[in-house]
Amino acid sequence: MIDLYGADYSVYVRSARMALTEKGVAYRLVPVDVFAPGGPPADYLRLQPFGKIPALKHGDFSLYETAAILRYVDETFDGSALQPDSPQARARMNQFLAILDNHAYRTLVWDIYVERVSKTQNGAPADEVKIASALGLARTIVEALETLASDGPFLLGDLTLADCHAAPMLALFEQAEEGRLLLRPAPKLSAWLAAIKERPSFRETEPQRGAG
């Protein structure tokens, strides 16, 4: 049994959960709320010293950093491969992962989704300056992903870790009006998002509240 530590609202935890589900691996989600008063508990910091989520335990083996967890899940367990065989396709998958981590997460999730959707649902005003400042980079991100995406059904043609990693972020981004507007002229990305949201791995990992 795999223990995956984290919270269902986290896009990174959901990415790992989607990969586990696609591989048909049973796992237990062990709750860790990094936004709790006082931060993560001390026993979790011994597992993940940076206090981020997720972390994974598989028997005596423990691991943190989402990209490492995704690759470990794919390479350790039976089921359909989630990484391409060819060096070029694998490099493209890793390029998607890097764009999502280095550019998309902060911009699409925190600067746009959290400000426009999550905060306002809780009664706080959106930071319009932060949203406006993020739109240029958000447009670049969407255009880059659209250019790299295949004609379907998945980002690289076949289902890979890139799909598991992108789906939670892009699904939140789409909930903001700015996200919908920026996705409208990206037909490949929009069609992919509509399709990936119908997969059991996406539906079964639906968070109970806003993400981060």
Side-chain angles (χ1 to χ4, degrees), residues 47-92:
L47 181 64
Q48 215 294 22
F50 301 102
K52 305 293 186 180
I53 50 178
L56 176 146
K57 287 190 72 174
H58 181 205
D60 294 332
F61 180 71
S62 63
L63 186 67
Y64 59 86
E65 298 299 338
T66 306
I69 291 171
L70 292 175
R71 293 183 178 97
Y72 178 78
V73 167
D74 184 47
E75 295 168 9
T76 302
F77 300 101
D78 294 333
S80 299
L82 297 177
Q83 298 181 88
D85 290 329
S86 79
Q88 289 186 342
R90 189 176 290 236
R92 187 69 76 203

Side-chain angles (χ1 to χ4, degrees), residues 153-155 162-164 166-167 170 187-197:
F154 303 108
L155 292 175
D163 300 288
C164 297
L170 271 293
K188 291 187 293 184
L189 207 55
S190 297
W192 162 81
L193 185 56
I196 201 75
K197 285 163 63 178

Side-chain angles (χ1 to χ4, degrees), residues 17-31:
R17 294 177 71 199
M18 285 185 66
L20 287 161
T21 302
E22 290 289 350
K23 296 289 286 190
V25 178
Y27 68 93
R28 179 178 63 166
L29 183 61
V30 182

